[in-house]
Amino acid sequence: MKRYNIAVIEGDGIGREVIPEGIRVLEATGRCYDISFSWQHFDWSCQTFLKTGRMMPQDGLDQLRSFDAIYLGAIGYPGVPDHISLWGLLIPIRRAFQQYVNLRPVRLLEGIDPPIKNFGAGDIDLCIVRENNEGEYSEAGGRLHRNTEFDLAIQESVFTRRGCDRIMRYAFELAQKRRNHVTSATKSNGIVFTMPFWDERFAAIAKDYPQVKTNQYHIDILSAHFVRHPDWFDVVVASNLFGDILSDLGAAVVGSMGLAPAANLNPTREFPSMFEPVHGSAPDIAGKGIANPVAQIWSGAMMLEHLGEIDAAKAVEGALASVLARRDPRTPDIGGKAGTRDLGEAIAAEVLATHSGMMAAKRCDLV
Ligand code: NAD
Ligand code: IPM
Ligand code: MN
């Protein structure tokens, strides 16, 4: 039996509702695939900030360092400014643990009616590879002359050769396992230093992968193509901010924020990686028990894959796809009336049923 130590940060809002469903499904999967999990919960959130003045304790990162992975819900809630909550917890984890890849699959599943016409299940299957440690998200800059008429803010972007090269290489390696196509998101017509540099590095790295087809679009038209022609894309590599925006657009194109999983990966495995949905804490629906748990559950499948539990990861993905294909139960964001827990329980039951079906088939073969 394999045993994994997982740090769990439910965080805020619907993070606290979808994480229990993720754990429910992973526990069920563990029983089928001989995996056990030790879940250690860290109650770090905006509530914690309001009580203690910190999103996590001073040694919070040290507390997380030795885990096999981190399973996170969402951070941020009205009452604490977003830049305080996110820069006090989520972003420090991504950076300290060199989780420089933010991998965000965008897939149209059976049973989902997308908001765009002419696309069915299987027609949209792309992966956003978002740079996750630098770029437009930087701490370089400042404010001057606060609260005077000369008040100003400066924010510098940081694009390093190492940072660009490693995310681009990751994208090319991933494309080689998929459909051999990488698209780069740029804006080198308007952003005059960093984006031409990004393009230069993309061209240089592409040379090492001559079998992979490449193209690039400025982010404005790329966004339009995401809506009109999402089937054009395989792997899309993007800077931190562009990748962030494309992620929500991608989620919308395939039906809901509640269907978009993500992995913050430290590919060298020196540090734990972190698995969390693309969506946030959804204050507008928090507390109602109606959030779609699929993104959280699917992020759990990505965690299993990262841990090397490939069959178990496939089982979770297969189960959530089957339940969605049956169209019942489904949460309101995808046109149903069911609750978060109903969908979580249905997916967990599907994992168990599929596995016992497989075992029964195997036994029959033996007879
Ligand atoms: P959001 O993703 O929380 O919500 C956007 C919209 O999508 C809302 O209408 C919400 O109800 C809906 N939605 C999101 N997830 C859903 C789900 N699972 N099921 C059904 N509907 C869902 O984005 P926001 O409103 O911009 O952000 C709210 C807070 O979350 C902010 O504090 C923001 O900074 C934070 N945030 C955190 C993360 C993270 O922790 N990784 C990501 C994004 C936003
Ligand atoms: C995401 C979120 C975060 C980001 C925010 C909350 C800082 O939007 O994970 O997509 O921009 O990285
Ligand atoms: Mn985002």
Side-chain angles (χ1 to χ4, degrees):
M1 159 120 30
K2 284 266 191 62
R3 190 175 172 78
Y4 297 105
N5 293 319
I6 311 292
V8 180
I9 306 173
E10 295 187 347
D12 296 299
I14 61 164
R16 311 183 88 80
E17 298 166 39
V18 290
I19 279 269
E21 301 315 314
I23 292 179
R24 184 194 308 285
V25 172
L26 289 169
E27 278 289 328
T29 311
R31 269 191 270 150
C32 301
Y33 291 87
D34 217 21
I35 304 166
S36 88
F37 300 97
S38 156
W39 309 101
Q40 187 168 332
H41 291 259
F42 293 85
D43 193 11
W44 297 344
S45 66
C46 288
Q47 284 304 319
T48 310
F49 180 89
L50 292 172
K51 274 187 249 149
T52 67
R54 301 187 62 93
M55 290 298 294
M56 64 175 156
Q58 203 133 25
D59 67 346
L61 294 170
D62 288 331
Q63 292 188 37
L64 296 176
R65 200 176 297 271
S66 59
F67 282 89
D68 295 310
I70 303 163
Y71 196 41
L72 185 140
I75 309 297
Y77 215 69
V80 180
D82 279 343
H83 68 282
I84 304 281
S85 52
L86 276 311
W87 280 84
L89 181 50
L90 183 75
I91 294 180
I93 297 174
R94 289 178 177 171
R95 291 184 180 218
F97 296 154
Q98 290 287 304
Q99 296 165 351
Y100 65 83
V101 175
N102 195 334
L103 184 63
R104 299 181 145 182
V106 176
R107 206 177 300 158
L108 180 56
L109 298 175
E110 205 182 322
I112 299 296
D113 307 313
I116 50 171
K117 283 184 291 188
N118 307 329
F119 292 98
D123 291 344
I124 306 173
D125 178 6
L126 63 93
C127 251
I128 297 167
V129 174
R130 170 191 182 193
E131 202 292 317
N132 211 28
N133 279 180
E134 55 174 46
E136 304 87 346
Y137 288 42
S138 83
E139 284 174 292
R143 287 281 296 272
L144 279 178
H145 308 301
R146 268 181 208 255
N147 305 322
T148 74
E149 61 180 308
F150 307 108
D151 211 344
L152 68 91
I154 296 173
Q155 178 95 45
E156 299 285 359
S157 293
V158 177
F159 283 73
T160 64
R161 179 166 173 159
R162 175 169 169 264
C164 293
D165 288 11
R166 65 185 183 178
I167 194 68
M168 288 170 182
R169 278 197 194 286
Y170 187 92
F172 278 98
E173 304 282 336
L174 178 64
Q176 285 183 318
K177 293 181 215 141
R178 293 173 47 98
R179 303 195 301 278
N180 272 307
H181 179 197
V182 179
T183 301
S184 164
T186 185
K187 188 60 191 169
S188 47
N189 52 358
I191 309 287
V192 77
F193 294 121
T194 55
M195 282 294 142
F197 177 64
W198 172 272
D199 293 355
E200 239 172 81
R201 296 317 308 156
F202 185 65
I205 301 299
K207 285 210 178 91
D208 290 343
Y209 302 89
Q211 65 286 20
V212 178
K213 185 181 153 214
T214 61
N215 56 0
Q216 63 186 54
Y217 295 102
H218 296 304
I219 188 69
D220 40 3
I221 192 61
L222 179 54
S223 306
H225 290 332
F226 250 52
V227 175
R228 298 299 300 271
H229 310 287
D231 54 330
W232 282 0
F233 303 103
D234 176 18
V235 174
V236 179
V237 66
S239 64
N240 209 332
L241 180 62
F242 292 174
D244 177 49
I245 298 168
L246 286 177
S247 306
D248 281 26
L249 185 54
V253 163
V254 295
S256 170
M257 286 308 298
L259 298 171
N264 300 270
L265 299 174
N266 169 238
T268 61
R269 293 175 184 266
E270 196 184 338
F271 303 107
S273 291
M274 176 164 68
F275 300 83
E276 51 155 351
V278 170
H279 67 71
S281 61
D284 55 337
I285 57 164
K288 296 185 179 160
I290 54 165
N292 188 336
V294 167
Q296 186 75 57
I297 293 167
W298 193 341
S299 303
M302 294 180 83
M303 180 165 81
L304 287 171
E305 191 182 337
H306 180 75
L307 294 170
E309 301 292 348
I310 309 299
D311 289 342
K314 285 197 179 127
V316 173
E317 280 188 28
L320 67 87
S322 304
V323 171
L324 290 174
R326 281 206 295 272
R327 292 177 173 261
D328 184 46
R330 55 179 51 215
T331 42
D333 58 307
I334 48 173
K337 290 203 168 73
T340 308
R341 187 171 176 161
D342 301 322
L343 192 45
E345 284 177 348
I347 295 170
E350 182 71 19
V351 170
L352 295 171
T354 308
H355 189 260
S356 58
M358 271 162 44
M359 290 297 113
K362 254 195 197 154
R363 275 196 299 277
C364 292
D365 275 348
L366 289 176
V367 183

